Amino acid sequence: QPILFSISDAENVLRDTEPSDFLLYKDHESGKIILSVRLASYIRHYRITELNSLYYLEGQPYAYLDSIVLYHRKHKLNGVKLNKQ
């Protein structure tokens, strides 16, 4: 289960981290699952949707939330591989 956080909390935490560091959390304001990733000059937020027991990130289905992280540690997500949470 993702932790409860907000997008502004995630930006504060990731502001001083290395590119490719990330947080996976449930936004307590919207109730959406968010993957926030530190890129070179900004933080990108991806909304993950759940439908029919699958999780979707940018249209790609995943069986579990953890599988999103595991996959993108090996394969780039818009130019970066996820590093540490």
Side-chain angles (χ1 to χ4, degrees):
Q1 282 289 17
I3 60 171
L4 285 175
F5 230 53
S6 72
I7 288 176
S8 61
D9 291 335
E11 288 184 352
N12 287 333
V13 169
L14 292 172
R15 182 171 289 123
D16 296 322
T17 62
E18 297 293 318
S20 75
D21 289 353
F22 68 95
L23 288 172
L24 179 64
Y25 58 96
K26 188 169 190 174
D27 180 46
H28 66 80
E29 295 170 358
S30 69
K32 304 289 183 184
I33 300 170
I34 307 289
L35 174 65
S36 295
V37 181
R38 175 76 165 120
L39 302 176
S41 59
Y42 65 98
I43 299 164
R44 175 106 188 247
H45 306 281
Y46 299 91
R47 186 173 62 191
I48 297 169
T49 55
E50 184 179 3
L51 181 63
N52 298 326
S53 300
L54 292 173
Y55 296 92
Y56 289 84
L57 174 65
E58 299 204 320
Q60 176 72 34
Y62 299 87
Y64 306 99
L65 281 174
D66 290 348
S67 60
I68 294 172
V69 173
L70 293 172
Y71 181 82
H72 288 292
R73 284 182 185 257
K74 295 180 181 179
H75 305 279
K76 291 183 179 181
L77 173 62
N78 291 325
V80 298
K81 291 181 183 177
L82 299 181
N83 183 22
K84 65 180 181 179
Q85 184 166 340

